[in-house]
Amino acid sequence: MTYITDGRPSRRTDTSVGELVGQATEQLAALVRQELLLARTELAEKGKRAGRGGGLYGAAGAVAHVGLMALAATGVVALALVLPLWASALIVTAVLFAVAGGLALAGRKEFGRAAPPMPERAVESVKADIGEIKGRAER
């Protein structure tokens, strides 16, 4: 059977509502699977980068620790020129603990501000899909 729509001939397909709902369900399931795959891939990529970054931070921390020990020894020796050795070592130790306390407080504050890792592209894609589905459902 041929119908004319907008001046152009078209062929009408006899698709039942049940078949259309089945197709929509299949398409929605495929879309959800694709979005989950995107989220999984994005989180895996972020995890690898975070692992490499953490390793580099760890190496930098180890080297900095050795440097700090050398600096502390230098401070003790320099203060020992004007104070007894035990007093200069005690002063350097107190300064190091004060710095460590300040860094610990700053780190705690930053951890409190940290947001949980989110797969941003996948979330935006899902939002766009939902908007598209709602837009088509309203037609």
Side-chain angles (χ1 to χ4, degrees), residues 25-42:
T25 302
E26 288 174 15
Q27 290 174 352
L28 185 60
L31 179 64
V32 168
R33 282 192 298 273
Q34 289 172 351
E35 295 297 349
L36 288 173
L37 180 62
L38 175 63
R40 186 180 326 139
T41 303
E42 188 177 349

Side-chain angles (χ1 to χ4, degrees), residues 95-115:
V95 168
L96 288 174
F97 276 127
V99 169
L103 290 173
L105 290 175
R108 180 178 177 194
K109 185 176 180 181
E110 285 301 311
F111 268 122
R113 291 182 183 172

Side-chain angles (χ1 to χ4, degrees), residues 14 19-20 36 39-40 46 66 76 99 103 126 133:
D14 292 326
E19 290 172 337
L20 290 175
L36 288 173
R40 186 180 326 139
K46 285 186 175 189
V66 172
V76 169
V99 169
L103 290 173
V126 168
I133 291 169

